[in-house]
Amino acid sequence: DAGVIQSPRHEVTEMGQEVTLRCKPISGHNSLFWYRQTMMRGLELLIYFNNNVPIDDSGMPEDRFSAKMPNASFSTLKIQPSEPRDSAVYFCASRGTATNEKLFFGSGTQLSVL
Amino acid sequence: AQSVAQPEDQVNVAEGNPLTVKCTYSVSGNPYLFWYVQYPNRGLQFLLKYITGDNLVKGSYGFEAEFNKSQTSFHLKKPSALVSDSALYFCAVRGLYNFNKFYFGSGTKLNVKP
């Protein structure tokens, strides 16, 4: 099993540009989570999906952030337009079932907005 | 509301010595508690969890954690530290009513010196 796969590993962009982060969860997992990690705020849950449906997006900081999960094997997190304060490491995680509390994290995308 | 606190930003131990990484929780109801480890440039990895039952939980890589209800603590322990244990450790609690929400602590950096 390849685990949760995120791309790109690093993204450097200029303020105002659109950024798209990608995630492929573990096959068979039906829950997917997007987290953001910063020194100041630690690990924050942005949004999660169950069976490809967004359930709770209360952690999404602003309307500039959006997430989709068009199918069970792919999700995107988009920031448009990006701002320097969006610089962080963005993690995707997946989980098998609601009764299995164990989260599997990807290696993250390091985003730098200049 | 569910939350966990990690009172120490950093813990330093010598290789071969026992280590403890502290976590306290604030939960209404029975807590579902977790420890995750993050190595540099990697996503978080599950170490162990407490759901119910024995207060001493054993996990990966020789780690264990002790659940103490009276002190509302869930400290991570290892009898003999290895240099390779050096990493960032996160305590987490699952949401009481929302099984998809996990609340992470701020993390503790463990430094094991040879």
Side-chain angles (χ1 to χ4, degrees), chain B residues 2-4 25-27 30-34 91-96 101-105:
Chain B
Q2 321 289 85
S3 66
V4 291
Y25 65 88
S26 176
V27 167
N30 295 322
Y32 282 32
L33 296 160
F34 307 83
C91 181
V93 62
R94 195 194 73 180
L96 182 60
K101 282 205 164 179
F102 294 81
Y103 301 90
F104 286 84

Side-chain angles (χ1 to χ4, degrees), chain A residues 9 15-16 28 30 32 35 39 47 53 58 63 76 79-80 96 107 114:
Chain A
R9 287 298 305 273
M15 183 174 65
N30 60 11
L32 183 139
Y35 283 88
M39 289 291 292
I47 185 172
V53 176
S58 59
D63 291 345
T76 60
I79 309 173
Q80 182 186 21
S107 296
L114 307 178

Side-chain angles (χ1 to χ4, degrees), chain B residues 80-94:
Chain B
S80 179
L82 299 172
V83 172
S84 57
D85 292 331
S86 299
L88 193 55
Y89 290 82
F90 290 91
C91 181
V93 62
R94 195 194 73 180

Side-chain angles (χ1 to χ4, degrees), chain A residues 9-10 31 33 35 37 42-43 45 48 50 55-56 58 91 95 98-108, chain B residues 32 34 36 38 40-47 49 51 60 88 90 94 98-106:
Chain A
R9 287 298 305 273
H10 303 276
S31 296
F33 305 78
Y35 283 88
Q37 185 180 39
L43 204 60
L45 176 64
Y48 72 88
N50 271 353
I55 302 300
D56 186 341
S58 59
F91 288 104
R95 187 181 68 184
T99 56
N100 182 350
E101 295 83 5
K102 185 176 175 180
L103 296 176
F104 293 81
F105 284 79
S107 296
Chain B
Y32 282 32
F34 307 83
Y36 282 80
Q38 184 181 25
N41 301 314
R42 301 292 299 275
L44 279 69
Q45 297 177 32
F46 172 85
L47 273 180
K49 67 180 178 183
I51 305 299
S60 306
L88 193 55
F90 290 91
R94 195 194 73 180
N98 187 336
F99 294 173
N100 289 299
K101 282 205 164 179
F102 294 81
Y103 301 90
F104 286 84
S106 54

Side-chain angles (χ1 to χ4, degrees), chain A residues 2-67:
Chain A
V4 177
I5 300 173
Q6 291 187 247
S7 64
R9 287 298 305 273
H10 303 276
E11 177 79 39
V12 180
T13 190
E14 293 186 347
M15 183 174 65
Q17 296 298 306
E18 176 182 303
V19 174
T20 299
L21 311 181
R22 297 172 176 80
C23 175
K24 176 179 167 58
I26 293 173
S27 177
H29 282 192
N30 60 11
S31 296
L32 183 139
F33 305 78
W34 281 101
Y35 283 88
R36 177 172 69 175
Q37 185 180 39
T38 61
M39 289 291 292
M40 292 295 295
R41 301 174 69 90
L43 204 60
E44 304 172 275
L45 176 64
L46 300 178
I47 185 172
Y48 72 88
F49 296 81
N50 271 353
N51 297 317
N52 313 336
V53 176
I55 302 300
D56 186 341
D57 65 355
S58 59
M60 297 285 259
E62 298 173 33
D63 291 345
R64 299 183 295 107
F65 286 69
S66 62

